[in-house]
């Protein structure tokens, strides 16, 4: 019986990955639900086989009275900002004067909530908010309800990954329509809705909010072979994490400016909100040479889109 339960758990975790990470389900939702209920019944009968990484425990957990504070192993820093081409060229000049010619990794700046996920031997052991950058809140039970977050990895990796939890625009519209019907206050934007959802003390409520996540950095690189940001993101893909596929490696600041111009024009075609572009020096050895200021990395900058005129 253990084999049957284990294989059903693995099968459902795979389907979950296809649906939430690849956005390419291979079975209809009805089939997934049928198999999930079959597994729930079997785990009721044989609770000794209900492991922490079983797909049936995504929406478990008691209702918390408050969130425990957790200290981050290394601070979750913010980024320096650039508001125009001049700022970007100044950033590029400073980089090149310091470490010579570099490649840049361009990534969309997701308008959500920065979170940290910790894995030990391939198991998700902790999920936390950024908080003040040094101390965050333990919201593991809420983050476990996000389908795009793997509860266990195929490889027995022990590391911390960081990313941005967000609410897709379509889920935001649906949520506000429902809240309007129930006479509840509306959320101003998907970012506030995502933050409000992850602050729910009852994970069953968070589970209903259809949140997702893009992972974009690994905190301790010992477990990875990659020596560039581009390589690290590809390894996160292979490890089963959802990363943002619009990323682009460019060879100079002209490439950065082209990427920014493209997404300034096409950002509304995305299924999620972005508030800018993150530009990073791609090579980790150059990142190490450049280091950090007290507040942010010297090897990255956030280009902020001009605030959109609100059409009243
Ligand atoms: N791709 C990235 O690095 C990225 C995307 N979206 C964001 N909101 C942030 C914030 C920091 Br700090 S980095 C980053």
């Amino acid at each position: 019986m253990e084999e049957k339960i284990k294989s059903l758990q693995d099968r459902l975790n795979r389907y979950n990955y296809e649906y939430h990470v690849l956005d390419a389900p291979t079975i209809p939702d009805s089939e997934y639900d049928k198999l999930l209920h079959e597994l729930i019944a079997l785990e009721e009968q044989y609770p000794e086989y209900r492991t922490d990484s079983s797909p049936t425990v995504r929406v478990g957990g008691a209702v918390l009275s408050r969130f425990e504070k957790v200290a981050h192993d290394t601070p979750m820093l913010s980024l320096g900002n650039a508001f125009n081409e001049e700022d970007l060229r100044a950033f590029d000049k400073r980089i090149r004067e310091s470490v010579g010619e570099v490649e840049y990794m361009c990534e969309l700046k997701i308008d959500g909530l920065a979170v940290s996920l910790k894995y030990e031997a391939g198991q998700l052991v902790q999920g936390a908010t950024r908080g003040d950058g040094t101390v965050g809140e333990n919201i593991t039970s809420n983050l476990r309800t996000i389908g795009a977050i793997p509860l266990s990895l195929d490889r027995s990796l022990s590391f911390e990954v960081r990313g941005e939890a967000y609410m897709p625009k379509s889920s935001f519209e649906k949520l506000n329509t429902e809240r309007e019907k129930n006479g509840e206050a509306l959320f101003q934007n998907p970012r506030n809705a995502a933050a409000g959802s992850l602050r729910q003390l009852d994970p069953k409520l968070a589970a209903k909010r259809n949140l997702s996540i893009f992972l974009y950095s690994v905190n301790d690189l010992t477990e990875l072979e990659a020596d560039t940001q581009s390589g690290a993101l590809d390894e996160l893909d292979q490890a089963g994490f959802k990363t943002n596929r619009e990323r682009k490696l460019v060879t100079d600041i002209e490439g950065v400016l082209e990427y920014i111009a493209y997404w300034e024009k096409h950002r509304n075609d995305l299924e999620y909100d972005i508030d800018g572009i993150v530009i990073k020096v791609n090579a980790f050895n150059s990142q190490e040479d450049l280091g950090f200021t007290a507040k942010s990395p010297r090897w990255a900058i956030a280009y902020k889109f001009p605030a959109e005129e609100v059409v009243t």
Side-chain angles (χ1 to χ4, degrees):
M1 184 45 74
E2 182 178 0
E3 253 326 291
K4 178 170 166 55
I5 290 178
K6 177 88 180 67
S7 77
L8 204 41
Q9 288 167 342
D10 293 347
R11 215 172 130 197
L12 282 161
N13 277 329
R14 169 77 202 167
Y15 290 142
N16 190 68
Y17 170 73
E18 290 168 350
Y19 185 93
H20 287 285
V21 178
L22 301 182
D23 204 10
T26 54
I27 60 165
D29 296 4
S30 54
E31 172 70 10
Y32 180 88
D33 294 343
K34 187 168 83 55
L35 289 168
L36 185 66
H37 285 104
E38 193 182 316
L39 179 57
I40 290 170
L42 283 170
E43 289 180 351
E44 285 298 314
Q45 220 178 331
Y46 303 95
E48 65 275 25
Y49 299 135
R50 182 188 293 129
T51 65
D52 245 5
S53 56
S54 171
T56 59
V57 298
R58 269 195 185 278
V59 190
V63 179
L64 300 173
S65 54
R66 59 173 187 73
F67 293 118
E68 175 197 77
K69 295 286 184 199
V70 284
H72 296 300
D73 295 347
T74 60
M76 289 180 74
L77 297 171
S78 51
L79 292 168
N81 289 328
F83 296 97
N84 51 47
E85 181 171 333
E86 186 189 348
D87 293 345
L88 290 163
R89 290 191 182 280
F91 168 73
D92 176 49
K93 184 167 179 291
R94 174 167 60 76
I95 299 282
R96 284 185 295 110
E97 281 170 355
S98 176
V99 295
E101 296 303 309
V102 293
E103 287 182 318
Y104 290 115
M105 193 66 192
C106 300
E107 301 176 30
L108 301 181
K109 188 168 183 298
I110 312 302
D111 197 3
L113 206 72
V115 295
S116 151
L117 301 175
K118 275 185 157 176
Y119 288 81
E120 272 163 25
Q123 301 297 315
L124 176 65
V125 294
Q126 181 183 285
T129 64
R130 176 180 179 282
D132 63 7
T134 307
V135 175
E137 290 171 314
N138 184 332
I139 56 165
T140 307
S141 50
N142 284 343
L143 289 174
R144 289 170 65 85
T145 70
I146 297 182
I149 294 179
L151 300 178
S152 65
L153 305 173
D154 295 343
R155 287 167 62 194
S156 169
L157 293 168
S158 300
F159 60 8
E160 179 194 356
V161 287
R162 294 175 173 179
E164 199 84 3
Y166 69 92
M167 183 179 288
K169 290 174 187 169
S170 56
S171 308
F172 170 69
E173 303 303 337
K174 262 186 235 141
L175 176 63
N176 263 354
T177 303
E178 193 185 309
R179 288 175 74 90
E180 193 159 25
K181 232 184 283 169
N182 304 340
E184 291 170 279
L186 305 189
F187 284 109
Q188 282 303 304
N189 52 50
R191 192 215 159 281
N192 290 359
S197 304
L198 287 173
R199 262 204 299 275
Q200 291 295 326
L201 289 165
D202 179 357
K204 287 181 179 52
L205 293 178
K208 292 197 175 81
R209 296 293 177 81
N210 186 30
L211 298 176
S212 190
I213 192 168
F214 288 117
L215 282 311
Y216 48 67
S217 80
V218 182
N219 201 37
D220 34 9
L221 295 162
T222 43
E223 291 274 0
L224 296 187
E225 281 84 47
D227 53 9
T228 62
Q229 171 65 7
S230 172
L233 289 170
D234 294 345
E235 282 195 67
L236 283 180
D237 284 342
Q238 275 128 43
F241 291 103
K242 183 175 178 183
T243 62
N244 192 279
R245 62 171 167 237
E246 309 304 346
R247 60 184 182 263
K248 187 176 181 191
L249 183 59
V250 298
T251 53
D252 59 18
I253 195 67
E254 302 311 324
V256 169
L257 295 168
E258 280 162 33
Y259 182 88
I260 287 174
Y262 179 85
W263 286 109
E264 204 142 27
K265 191 163 165 241
H266 292 277
R267 63 193 281 207
N268 293 331
D269 305 341
L270 291 165
E271 291 172 3
Y272 44 86
D273 275 354
I274 61 172
D275 60 348
I277 302 292
V278 179
I279 299 108
K280 303 172 185 175
V281 170
N282 190 43
F284 286 152
N285 58 3
S286 302
Q287 289 186 9
E288 276 148 39
D289 296 345
L290 287 156
F292 297 81
T293 66
K295 291 200 297 51
S296 49
R298 286 199 182 89
W299 42 265
I301 198 161
Y303 171 79
K304 304 284 284 188
F305 291 140
E308 283 187 304
E309 308 80 57
V310 179
V311 179
T312 48

